[in-house]
Amino acid sequence: MKNQIAVLVWLFSWAAFAASAQTPPAKADEHSAHHAPGAPRSDAVEGEVRKIDKAAGKITLKHGAIPNLDMTAMTMVFRVTDPAMLDAVKVGDKVRFTAEKIQGAITVTEISALR
């Protein structure tokens, strides 16, 4: 009887450990949390600045496909995480940027002009 209890305790312990080791995939809102600061971003996309609206904290980009968002190439308006990012680019610049879905809005999290 004691051996059966020990086996059952071991099985339940192992099952609990195995279940906790299987973490669900990160949500898009949490995507950047697993990137080390300064690490190259594999989800960066190239585009061209079409319009900048500093007052609204938005930028219009003509861009290629954005795989991490399952988005095809198009021109669209994005929010930016920090309006100061808009000072680093101007209309007509070719840029490299990353975008993520944050609180339901597609948002540019990083952007830099290609020079």
Side-chain angles (χ1 to χ4, degrees):
M1 181 74 162
K2 286 184 181 181
N3 284 343
Q4 291 173 335
I5 292 173
V7 168
L8 287 174
V9 168
W10 180 83
L11 283 173
F12 284 121
S13 298
W14 182 84
F17 171 77
S20 68
Q22 296 177 0
T23 57
K27 295 178 187 172
D29 290 356
E30 301 165 349
H31 182 79
S32 62
H34 70 270
H35 289 285
R41 298 289 301 256
S42 61
D43 52 356
V45 177
E46 290 189 10
E48 181 181 334
V49 178
R50 292 297 178 99
K51 182 179 178 183
I52 296 173
D53 183 347
K54 289 183 184 180
K58 295 182 179 182
I59 188 168
T60 303
L61 297 169
K62 179 180 178 185
H63 61 82
I66 305 176
N68 65 304
L69 297 173
D70 294 324
M71 186 178 292
T72 60
M74 66 180 77
T75 300
M76 67 175 285
V77 178
F78 294 87
R79 287 187 187 175
V80 293
T81 54
D82 180 3
M85 294 168 35
L86 300 175
D87 294 329
V89 296
K90 63 184 184 313
V91 173
D93 278 353
K94 303 289 186 199
V95 295
R96 188 159 183 85
F97 69 98
T98 56
E100 300 174 25
K101 192 168 189 178
I102 300 175
Q103 296 178 352
I106 308 285
T107 305
V108 171
T109 58
E110 297 176 26
I111 191 167
S112 60
L114 297 174
R115 309 223 187 240

